């Protein structure tokens, strides 16, 4: 069936907005070329989008100085603001951006393990409120005739460790994680009532960032192996993130593996892959083999140790032994995932994966060649721990644009 006039207008408007997002400011003539729409249709959609406050004239083209086609149109970046949170066991980081994703403010705060739930939540919420205020996202008077909420914080993307219920989008109770994690989401919704909150597992967000802006941008199927304070995996198949029936796809820390002294349980991943590749296990391995380093900032100590070993090079027998044993351990987890999914590409993510770089990735890949008949490329993340915040911001931007770019009710 042919689309109704209103549906056709909505499709055309969204197409134009996506092009403006991807290509930057464009003239009406260029929009006509890229969309294949007629000149009158483009003129109509430009008028509609301008009237709705989504686009505006940002200049003139260098080719023409007269006539309507010389005007260059761009998305109104401050039409709405976005925030992204990375919730870790040891603290919270936040960035605030405009509708196009340009960062306007960012901050972080440590939260110690002995901090009570109430104080921890208040510290994290206050951090977000300060960043939002600094970015000017508390709202401004809209242009005449436009909607309430102009410029306010529209959507917040939140990355957190643990299981996210795929039916409700809520963070589920998980053993070993601070109680303030779940309380924080509810507190943010109460203090930021006009904002929409989107909660996602941190490793899944890191995979989204690697797919859009990182080392997996040329792959539609890959697995991200998260190596930070803890371990995890994210699975992207045919361009889509796979979460599983209960939201637990990629909980590789619970994977039973050889080389541990016990087996994991439903409430504790000790004895699973986490016991081989988690930050504490990597630090213990480094101490055993004589590798030492001081951590930088809030990064896991394991990342500093791996970076030090890589910098030491092949002339250091201690560093070489450390990287070899670590690659052995990582290959065990990666091989298990490869045997089931055959992703063709594994990304070593998180702070530890980034610190290991190509040196560690190549070691793991060589071991996988021996362990699996399935050809698999291993790549090191270039985004590292920042991938979670980047993925959360991309999720917030996508969510906000889906709503703002939709046609108004009744049109």
């Amino acid at each position: 069936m042919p689309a109704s006039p209103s549906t056709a207008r909505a499709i055309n408007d969204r197409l134009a907005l996506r092009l403006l997002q991807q290509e930057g400011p464009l003239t009406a003539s260029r929009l006509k070329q890229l969309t294949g729409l007629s000149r009158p249709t483009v003129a109509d959609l430009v008028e509609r989008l301008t009237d709705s406050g989504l686009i505006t004239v940002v200049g003139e083209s260098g080719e023409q100085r007269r006539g309507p086609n010389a005007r260059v149109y761009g998305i109104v970046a401050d039409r709405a603001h976005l925030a992204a949170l990375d919730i870790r066991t040891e603290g919270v980081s936040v960035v605030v951006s405009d509708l196009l994703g340009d960062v306007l403010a960012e901050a972080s705060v440590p939260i110690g393990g002995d901090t009570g739930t109430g104080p921890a939540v208040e510290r994290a919420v206050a951090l977000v409120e300060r960043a939002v205020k600094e970015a000017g996202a508390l709202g401004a008077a809209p242009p005449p005739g436009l909607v309430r909420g102009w410029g306010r914080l529209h959507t917040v993307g939140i990355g957190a460790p643990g299981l996210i219920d795929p039916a409700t989008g809520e963070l589920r109770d998980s053993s070993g994680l601070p109680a303030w994690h779940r309380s924080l989401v509810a507190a943010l919704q109460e203090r930021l009532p006009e904002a929409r909150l989107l909660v996602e597992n941190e490793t899944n967000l890191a995979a989204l960032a690697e797919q859009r802006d990182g080392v997996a941008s040329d792959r539609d199927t890959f697995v991200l192996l998260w190596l930070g304070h803890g371990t995890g995996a994210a699975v992207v198949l045919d361009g889509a993130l796979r979460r599983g029936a209960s939201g637990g796809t990629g909980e590789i820390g619970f994977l039973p593996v050889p080389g541990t002294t016990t087996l994991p349980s439903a409430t504790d991943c000790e004895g699973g892959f986490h016991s081989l590749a988690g930050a504490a296990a990597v630090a213990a391995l480094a101490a055993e083999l004589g590798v030492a380093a001081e951590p930088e900032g809030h990064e896991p100590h394991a990342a500093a140790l791996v970076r030090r070993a890589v910098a030491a090079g092949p002339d250091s027998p201690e560093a070489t032994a450390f990287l070899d044993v670590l690659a052995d351990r990582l290959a065990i987890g990666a091989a298990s995932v490869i045997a089931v999914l055959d992703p063709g590409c594994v990304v070593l993510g998180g702070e530890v994966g980034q610190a290991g770089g190509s040196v560690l990735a190549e070691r793991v890949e060589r071991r996988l060649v021996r362990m699996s008949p399935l050809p698999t490329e291993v790549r090191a993340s270039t985004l590292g721990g920042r991938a979670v915040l980047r993925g959360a911001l991309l999720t917030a931007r996508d969510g906000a644009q889906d709503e703002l770019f939709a046609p108004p009710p009744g049109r």
Side-chain angles (χ1 to χ4, degrees), residues 302-343:
L305 292 165
V306 171
R307 188 182 302 106
R308 175 72 183 86
V310 169
D315 292 336
S316 168
E318 296 84 4
T320 298
F322 170 62
L323 292 173
D324 283 342
V325 176
L326 178 58
D328 289 339
R329 294 182 175 189
L330 298 181
I332 290 174
S336 301
V337 174
I338 291 166
V340 176
L341 298 175
D342 186 19

Side-chain angles (χ1 to χ4, degrees), residues 120-169:
V121 169
E122 181 57 35
R123 190 177 301 175
V125 172
L127 176 80
V128 176
E129 289 179 329
R130 286 197 302 272
V132 170
K133 183 177 181 181
E134 179 185 341
L138 295 178
L146 294 177
V147 297
R148 265 182 83 246
W150 178 278
R152 281 189 180 276
L153 186 63
H154 186 285
T155 304
V156 182
I158 301 174
L163 298 175
I164 310 299
D165 191 316
T168 65

Side-chain angles (χ1 to χ4, degrees), residues 185-208:
V185 176
L188 284 170
Q189 191 66 82
E190 181 179 347
R191 299 270 279 270
L192 303 169
E194 296 186 9
R196 180 171 56 158
L197 271 54
L198 303 176
V199 186
E200 180 60 270
N201 174 267
E202 60 178 355
T203 307
N204 287 344
L205 291 177
L208 173 62

Side-chain angles (χ1 to χ4, degrees), residues 13-32 34-35 45-46 49 54-61 71-77 99-102 397 401 405:
D13 289 356
R14 183 163 295 207
L15 173 60
L17 287 164
R18 290 299 181 190
L19 286 170
L20 288 167
Q21 175 196 25
Q22 296 164 7
E23 304 289 335
L26 299 168
T27 63
S29 291
R30 185 60 177 149
L31 277 172
K32 175 181 177 297
L34 293 174
T35 61
L45 72 83
V46 166
L49 295 176
L54 286 170
I55 69 172
T56 188
V57 176
V58 296
E60 293 183 343
S61 68
R71 295 173 181 171
V72 178
Y73 296 91
I75 291 177
V76 179
L99 185 58
L100 291 178
D102 291 332
R397 190 181 73 181
Q401 290 181 349
F405 291 2

